[in-house]
Amino acid sequence: MLSWILIICATAGGTVLVCQFVLMLLGVVDLGVEVPDDMPDGGDVSLADGHDSIFGVLSFRSVTAALTFFGIAGLAAESANAGPVLTLLIATAAGFASMYGVYYLMLSMARLGHDRTTRIERAIGKPGTVYLPIPAGGAGAGKVHLRWASGVSEFAAVTSGPNKLPAGAKVVVVRVVDGGTVEVEPAPEAKPDAA
């Protein structure tokens, strides 16, 4: 009886999995995994985001892979004369591993198409370092370096404050002036320890 269940899982799941793969290569179906537009700069999805819960992993494609590898691993364990309990344990472990493996593969493929363009509007509130001195009172522009997960970006910067900001000064972006210029102010200094 167990052999028939394993054969059915391997055959049915494998057939559907191969059909899905061929249709995906032909562009008939999409990856089935969405990468949000407002993903943080690094594009990483953390465990806290809920994407790694069992419900986030369940999809038709991942369940199909799980059935396929459940059947294949179970048949392999059975042919190696493993007992029924060990066969089920091996088959179940292979099914879960393939389900998570397919999910992460699809998520990685979807990330390849994710737009990693640095958007200046995301700079508000970001700390930075003055690269070229910024004249006081908006009298001219200097340059700042802002660190993103994908690297460092350089922007023209102005300040409305009464003091010139020298090279190396720590600043915070308070607004975007235009497509390539930000307004900054000195970063708040660390608060002294309470006595």
Side-chain angles (χ1 to χ4, degrees):
M1 179 67 176
L2 180 60
S3 296
W4 281 108
I5 293 172
L6 296 172
I7 290 170
I8 290 169
C9 287
T11 306
T15 303
V16 173
L17 193 64
V18 168
C19 290
Q20 285 178 341
F21 182 72
V22 169
L23 291 174
M24 186 180 70
L25 287 178
L26 295 174
V28 176
V29 295
D30 66 355
L31 294 174
V33 177
E34 292 183 21
V35 177
D37 290 335
D38 60 346
M39 180 174 281
D41 301 319
D44 294 328
V45 176
S46 71
L47 293 174
D49 292 336
H51 294 281
D52 292 328
S53 70
I54 189 69
F55 299 109
V57 174
L58 287 178
S59 69
F60 184 69
R61 185 173 287 118
S62 64
V63 170
T64 303
L67 280 175
T68 303
F69 286 94
F70 173 84
I72 291 171
L75 288 171
E78 197 173 63
S79 69
N81 295 324
V85 173
L86 184 58
T87 298
L88 280 175
L89 284 175
I90 291 171
T92 303
F96 275 109
S98 64
M99 182 170 59
Y100 274 92
V102 166
Y103 171 74
Y104 284 113
L105 178 67
M106 294 297 114
L107 186 61
S108 297
M109 289 172 65
R111 283 183 181 147
L112 290 176
H114 180 64
D115 181 15
R116 297 282 178 109
T117 305
T118 301
R119 292 184 176 89
I120 194 169
E121 56 274 0
R122 290 185 182 167
I124 297 172
K126 266 200 173 305
T129 305
V130 176
Y131 174 61
L132 290 177
I134 304 170
K143 299 242 179 192
V144 293
H145 283 166
L146 302 178
R147 184 166 300 280
W148 307 82
S150 57
V152 175
S153 297
E154 183 177 287
F155 292 103
V158 296
T159 184
S160 59
N163 300 322
K164 173 183 171 182
L165 298 174
K170 301 297 182 192
V171 294
V172 175
V173 177
V174 292
R175 75 179 181 99
V176 175
V177 177
D178 62 35
T181 306
V182 295
E183 182 179 338
V184 297
E185 64 182 29
E189 295 183 5
K191 297 178 181 175
D193 293 333

